[in-house]
Amino acid sequence: MNYSERLQNVTVLGAAGKMGSGILLLTAMEMADLSLKPENKGKEYVLYALDISQKALAGLMKYIQGQVLKAAEKKAVALRKVYADRKDLIENCEIIDQYVKDVMNIIRPVTTLESAYESLIVFEAASENPDLKVKIFSQIEKNNQNKPWFFTNTSSIPIGYLDKEAGLGGRVLGVHFYNPPAVQRLVEVIKASATLPELSEFVSQFIKNLRKVEVPANDFAGFIGNGHFMRDALHGMAEVGKLSKEMPFVDAVYIVNKISQDLLIRPMGIFQLIDYVGIDVCQYIMKVMAPHVKDEKIHSPLLDQFMELGVKGGQHSDGSQKDGFLKYEKGRPVGIYDPDKKAYVAIADIAAKCDALIGPMPEGFLPWKSAVGHPAKDDFFKKYFMALKVMDSLGAKLARDYAIRSKAIGLKLVSDQVAFSEKDVNTVLLTGFFHAYGPINDYLN
Amino acid sequence: MRKKVYLVGGYNTISMGTGRKEFSPKKERPGLEEYIREAGQGVLKQIGGAANVDECVIGNFIASRFNKQANMAGFFPYIDEGLTFKPCTRVEGACGTGALAVLTGIKSVLAETADVVLVVGVEVQNTVKAIYGADILAAAGWFKERKDGHAYFFPGKFSDRAGAYYEKFGKEKTRKAMARWYVNAIENARLCPTAQEYHNTTADLLAQGMAEPNPKGFVDNLNVFDCSKVSDGASGIAAVSEEGLKKCGIDKKDAVEIAGFGQVEYDITKPPKDPTKLETTAAGVQKALQMAGITKDQLATVECHDCFSIAGIMAVEAIGFAAHGEGPDFVSAGHTARGGKIPFNTTGGLMGWGHPTGGTGVHQAVTIWEQMTDRAGKAQIEIPKDKPFGLSINMGGDDKTLGVMVYKKI
């Protein structure tokens, strides 16, 4: 069975979710592109969008249609060639319209698992619950006669565990897209020890066709992305713990969030990132990782405390940010949660005194948005960190400690053989987290 | 000219689109009727009101698709009730529409059916995304060629011309000259408050202009900076006789005289004989200069149809300022810049000021009128006494419908 045949019948599990909908979109377009090749004329391509909620599926179809339209508008130049033999399609608008129809015709929204029993590939993007994943995989495996390939979007559960528990005989591979899959270029690919090589070969081709960046990671809870992020977040929360002994909690959160964004020139501060991913999701990922990590404690009492208070972060279905550690207005942080008062304190009221504590910005500072596209980026960061290195302020000290810790986390991922190289760690942070520089660098040496 | 004809009372709206600070594709914008009204009233105010107007001509390429609107002549009484029951005509010649509108006005004066003709040119194109706008604008070519054409049909046509030109005369020097053309366009536009690129603050325009074309997303031989943008805008002007000037109470020094024109056409179903030349443009220019009885060396300024930078360079050659193949050298030497031998497109042209297709030919006439009557503000150039002439070239389609005019400073 070649690449194109393998993609003739696919199921996406959890298709209406945040990750599932993106994976469905990408897969649907890849399948449609294959179906439109002259050699595949007449072959049937079927993509089951499987989710438990009819209502969510209705919303999903609307979302997919809008996204395919946008994508078609962008690739109109190529689509004119694809439909060159269709004399009835002359104008861009007719061609774009036809492409949207052709993609939508492949997708079948369904609510019952039986559809997956005939698929050749099962893309799983259900919730991050090991027992649930094992249960679904076993059931499909038992009823599907095609010996299907299972691709799981888990960001933390070891693939070998799923393989063993569900009895998949090596027909499972971790294919971890980043949020949102339609936009983010990074895909972490995780082989279990028994994973069959043909699965990885197929996925490499798939990722290449989607014009994304593949980074291999070892089958170790959290892999590279969350392996770094969770430890990075724990460091930030520990710093808040220390600072809180001398100042109010909200001031400490403000300071650590600010230095992890501005002084480290990252796209967002660590507490905003935790909110973006979701406090609940972070807590869950740590819970999944913890038993597999022997030499470190992957657990945060602060996350537990916030969960108990019902402050969870994450995103609304329209993609806007829910309140978490921070309160948001139009996507910008405007407040910080005080767990004692159970209320948000306005950032405007504390910013001035905290900024004074942080101290001045290092010479040559540029915000992330400007630095990320700097034509001589490496030189810029060398000079920037040189300036940061000799500064005596609280902010500079916290930022240096943060950068050093971030590098140590990266190096440990390599020495623990979670990542195959330092470059892979940096690639994950650069493409998956939009950092302007990799954590493993010599800027502070 | 059998009779003296003057242009007076020019008015341009802002050329609205990406680049203007006030433009947002998500915000609601003025429609066709607002642009027509603003430009029309802008002229009427300068010529003593609607009562002085004998006829009206509106130039519009394709509102029938951009705005689902036809019967454009009906908007004249909307400009001013005083235009009710006056003869109004709509003309169309794709991107060359504006010059046809002005020429139609001039001919009415020549035919003595009118002493004062109000001319307006308009297009409102930001109603659709560029990829669909490309479908609409493709109507300037032969529809039977559409199927085999590029998604961006007209950029595709001029990309092919640019490719042929690279091959014949060298890619490097041509691309450099195209980038220089872009620099001139933006620098001139920065001097004109109604220009679409008036707010442009890019520091290194030359480097931007030199960006390598990206055939995957766009066309083979042009980058986006080689192209005019999508614009909404309108321009108005009045074509008047001697009597008309008196009727409107306008001093001759506030008018520009039409010294000659050349209106020529080429078969829309035929490809250009030589893709590295604008032969119809050349024919139109020759005819206009001949009618005016002057040579190119008496021109003080030119407004040419630089829908694409390569078209600007080819126009330089079509007028005869440079030999075939040497247009790029002429442009790179700075001869077409505002301080050069012959300043081209002093308010930015199509690439800098904007290209509201049906309005462009009228905008060109307004710009030359401004330059010849000392009204160009910061964009003003000096018009030497021994070179009192200006030239405008307005092109419809791929060098098909040409309206060329020679203007004389009074």
Side-chain angles (χ1 to χ4, degrees):
Chain A
M1 197 182 295
N2 64 26
Y3 177 81
S4 159
E5 289 162 346
R6 177 63 63 180
L7 273 165
Q8 277 186 257
N9 195 313
V10 179
T11 296
V12 175
L13 296 171
K18 207 157 64 173
M19 300 303 291
S21 58
I23 293 168
L24 184 80
L25 171 69
L26 296 168
T27 311
M29 296 208 337
E30 173 67 358
M31 288 169 71
D33 290 350
L34 288 171
S35 76
L36 288 167
K37 286 191 172 168
E39 65 265 31
N40 294 329
K41 222 172 195 164
K43 287 185 195 160
E44 198 178 44
Y45 285 78
V46 176
L47 175 59
Y48 291 110
L50 202 155
D51 210 283
I52 44 175
S53 151
Q54 284 288 7
K55 200 177 153 206
L57 282 172
L60 171 71
M61 297 305 277
K62 213 171 136 191
Y63 162 80
I64 297 284
Q65 184 154 347
Q67 292 297 310
V68 175
L69 177 64
K70 273 190 200 164
E73 287 167 349
K74 267 193 198 155
K75 60 181 198 171
V77 174
L79 287 179
R80 286 194 78 86
K81 289 180 190 136
V82 171
Y83 291 104
D85 60 344
R86 284 282 300 266
K87 287 203 174 93
D88 58 322
L89 305 175
I90 297 169
E91 298 202 301
N92 294 334
C93 57
E94 295 164 328
I95 285 163
I96 288 166
D97 229 34
Q98 184 62 50
Y99 182 71
V100 173
K101 280 182 196 152
D102 285 342
V103 175
M104 297 312 287
N105 275 343
I106 287 175
I107 305 174
R108 316 273 191 277
V110 291
T111 52
T112 51
L113 198 58
E114 281 76 5
S115 308
Y117 297 170
E118 59 172 72
S119 284
L120 302 166
I121 289 173
V122 176
F123 249 118
E124 176 271 317
S127 65
E128 195 71 340
N129 178 336
D131 298 337
L132 176 75
K133 288 185 202 274
V134 167
K135 195 178 141 211
I136 298 174
F137 285 171
S138 323
Q139 196 175 328
I140 295 171
E141 175 66 8
K142 203 168 78 192
N143 292 290
N144 185 322
Q145 305 304 311
N146 297 323
K147 295 212 173 292
W149 291 359
F150 294 87
F151 299 139
T152 169
N153 187 57
T154 179
S155 62
S156 54
I157 306 166
I159 310 305
Y161 171 84
L162 295 173
D163 187 18
K164 201 172 121 236
E165 295 297 312
L168 304 178
R171 278 177 287 105
V172 59
L173 183 72
V175 184
H176 178 211
F177 285 88
Y178 274 63
N179 180 24
V183 179
Q184 283 263 29
R185 292 187 63 220
L186 178 69
V187 185
E188 264 183 294
V189 175
I190 307 103
K191 266 190 279 190
S193 56
T195 297
L196 301 173
E198 49 266 41
L199 272 72
S200 328
E201 280 161 30
F202 172 90
V203 161
S204 288
Q205 183 65 45
F206 184 67
I207 291 170
K208 212 173 117 197
N209 288 6
L210 301 184
R211 280 187 284 281
K212 297 204 180 280
V213 178
E214 175 182 354
V215 172
N218 223 331
D219 191 17
F220 202 88
F223 318 124
I224 300 174
N226 279 333
H228 191 279
F229 169 43
M230 290 303 142
R231 290 170 172 94
D232 210 50
L234 284 171
H235 174 75
M237 290 187 278
E239 292 288 65
V240 165
K242 280 191 248 167
L243 288 172
S244 307
K245 286 174 189 151
E246 296 151 26
M247 62 176 78
F249 173 80
V250 289
D251 293 16
V253 170
Y254 175 89
I255 287 172
V256 173
N257 194 61
K258 171 126 179 163
I259 66 106
S260 57
Q261 173 165 14
D262 289 353
L263 274 85
L264 291 181
I265 313 186
R266 289 181 175 183
M268 54 175 85
I270 192 68
F271 286 96
Q272 192 180 350
L273 181 59
I274 295 171
D275 286 347
Y276 176 81
V277 172
I279 294 173
D280 50 349
V281 176
C282 289
Q283 186 197 37
Y284 203 94
I285 292 172
M286 288 190 190
K287 213 162 97 188
V288 173
M289 281 172 68
H292 302 277
V293 180
K294 305 289 177 220
D295 55 351
E296 273 174 281
K297 201 170 166 209
I298 307 287
H299 173 242
S300 160
L302 187 59
L303 292 185
D304 297 345
Q305 187 190 358
F306 270 67
M307 284 300 289
E308 274 162 35
L309 289 164
V311 181
K312 294 182 185 172
Q315 279 147 46
H316 294 285
S317 56
D318 66 353
S320 62
Q321 182 65 47
K322 287 184 195 168
D323 295 339
F325 279 102
L326 311 179
K327 179 181 171 65
Y328 300 87
E329 267 169 27
K330 290 182 186 162
R332 289 168 166 268
V334 294
I336 298 172
Y337 194 78
D338 182 338
D340 293 335
K341 292 186 191 145
K342 299 191 176 52
Y344 285 93
V345 174
I347 285 178
D349 295 341
I350 58 164
K353 88 175 153 172
C354 293
D355 287 342
L357 282 173
I358 290 171
M361 287 304 195
E363 208 185 305
F365 166 78
L366 281 179
W368 170 80
K369 223 175 172 177
S370 318
V372 79
H374 198 287
K377 214 161 71 170
D378 195 45
D379 276 349
F380 164 75
F381 280 111
K382 264 184 201 150
K383 274 188 206 139
Y384 175 79
F385 278 101
M386 213 120 74
L388 182 83
K389 200 172 160 180
V390 297
M391 285 173 72
D392 202 21
S393 62
L394 172 70
K397 190 187 160 301
L398 287 168
R400 281 196 300 269
D401 291 348
Y402 220 114
I404 289 165
R405 173 63 188 147
S406 188
K407 179 178 177 178
I409 295 168
L411 289 172
K412 188 159 187 296
L413 287 170
V414 181
S415 65
D416 284 349
Q417 293 177 333
V418 177
F420 294 105
S421 72
E422 293 177 5
K423 190 171 159 266
D424 284 350
V425 174
N426 284 347
T427 303
V428 168
L429 273 296
L430 288 166
T431 55
F433 290 79
F434 292 113
H435 283 195
Y437 56 95
I440 304 181
N441 59 62
D442 294 329
Y443 298 145
L444 280 173
N445 287 10
Chain B
M1 298 283 286
R2 296 179 176 194
K3 177 179 172 135
K4 291 221 185 252
V5 183
Y6 305 92
L7 298 183
V8 295
Y11 185 93
N12 295 319
T13 70
I14 284 170
S15 176
M16 187 59 72
T18 57
R20 290 293 304 194
K21 274 184 188 159
E22 60 271 58
F23 177 78
S24 157
K26 285 178 192 149
K27 268 200 290 192
E28 212 177 315
R29 291 178 297 278
L32 206 52
E33 46 287 281
E34 277 90 4
Y35 279 102
I36 295 169
R37 180 131 84 172
E38 185 190 338
Q41 289 182 345
V43 179
L44 289 181
K45 262 185 206 145
Q46 300 176 66
I47 62 167
N52 290 334
V53 175
D54 300 315
E55 284 186 29
C56 304
V57 183
I58 187 162
N60 173 260
F61 173 16
I62 196 157
S64 53
R65 288 196 69 187
F66 276 120
N67 322 89
K68 313 258 187 271
Q69 180 67 59
N71 205 2
M72 299 292 290
F75 286 105
F76 277 110
Y78 174 76
I79 295 172
D80 190 306
E81 259 185 67
L83 297 173
T84 310
F85 298 153
K86 301 216 175 185
C88 299
T89 308
R90 178 257 181 100
V91 297
E92 189 272 307
C95 306
T97 295
L100 295 192
V102 179
L103 286 169
T104 303
I106 291 169
K107 286 176 191 171
S108 276
V109 175
L110 286 175
E112 304 197 330
T113 60
D115 284 313
V116 177
V117 183
L118 171 61
V119 179
V120 173
V122 67
E123 211 75 54
V124 172
Q125 310 180 115
N126 280 296
T127 51
V128 297
K129 289 184 182 176
I131 189 69
Y132 303 116
D135 280 338
I136 297 175
L137 296 172
W142 186 27
F143 189 66
K144 286 203 170 153
E145 287 183 354
R146 179 67 186 116
K147 177 66 186 166
D148 295 330
H150 196 276
Y152 294 95
F153 186 78
F154 265 91
K157 286 270 174 205
F158 279 84
S159 166
D160 292 349
R161 280 184 178 272
Y165 200 99
Y166 298 162
E167 200 166 305
K168 200 161 179 179
F169 299 113
K171 182 173 175 183
E172 203 188 326
K173 82 161 186 178
T174 310
R175 284 239 33 100
K176 271 188 191 155
M178 287 159 79
R180 179 61 198 266
W181 189 277
Y182 169 69
V183 175
N184 292 349
I186 304 302
E187 285 180 348
N188 284 336
R190 286 171 179 168
L191 302 171
C192 177
T194 54
Q196 196 163 339
E197 295 290 352
Y198 180 60
H199 298 135
N200 186 311
T201 55
T202 303
D204 195 347
L205 289 167
L206 196 66
Q208 201 174 43
M210 286 302 290
E212 196 51 39
N214 167 22
K216 259 194 173 168
F218 194 47
V219 294
D220 293 352
N221 301 307
L222 303 175
N223 64 39
V224 292
F225 307 108
D226 289 314
C227 309
S228 53
K229 287 183 162 181
V230 177
S231 315
D232 299 348
S235 294
I237 203 159
V240 301
S241 62
E242 296 263 9
E243 295 75 18
L245 279 180
K246 278 183 213 139
K247 188 158 81 164
C248 299
I250 292 176
D251 196 302
K252 259 193 196 169
K253 72 171 175 24
D254 293 320
V256 66
E257 186 186 335
I258 293 296
F261 57 84
Q263 187 185 340
V264 291
E265 199 68 47
Y266 195 79
D267 186 344
I268 195 172
T269 69
K270 290 207 170 73
K273 268 189 238 154
D274 180 346
T276 64
K277 281 182 179 171
L278 296 177
E279 290 181 287
T280 317
T281 300
V285 169
Q286 205 184 4
K287 208 168 157 185
L289 291 176
Q290 207 171 13
M291 186 171 177
I294 65 160
T295 70
K296 66 169 194 329
D297 301 319
Q298 287 167 275
L299 295 171
T301 182
V302 175
E303 288 295 308
C304 80
H305 197 94
D306 62 337
C307 45
F308 303 97
S309 56
I310 189 71
I313 291 167
M314 287 187 185
V316 168
E317 294 179 2
I319 302 167
F321 284 118
H324 188 209
E326 289 170 15
D329 309 286
F330 191 82
V331 171
S332 288
H335 296 324
T336 59
R338 60 186 307 104
K341 274 186 190 166
I342 172 76
F344 269 63
N345 298 0
T346 56
T347 59
L350 282 64
M351 280 171 48
W353 188 82
H355 187 23
T357 44
T360 290
V362 183
H363 168 256
Q364 292 176 325
V366 173
T367 302
I368 299 219
W369 167 76
E370 284 172 343
Q371 290 290 5
M372 296 294 181
T373 58
D374 232 350
R375 284 177 159 82
K378 283 187 178 164
Q380 186 66 48
I381 55 161
E382 201 202 326
I383 308 292
K385 283 235 154 53
D386 59 334
K387 289 181 171 187
F389 294 96
L391 178 81
S392 70
I393 301 169
N394 189 201
M395 174 171 79
D398 184 8
D399 200 31
K400 301 299 187 226
T401 301
L402 265 294
V404 182
M405 281 176 263
V406 177
Y407 310 72
K408 188 180 177 205
K409 184 180 166 86
I410 300 167

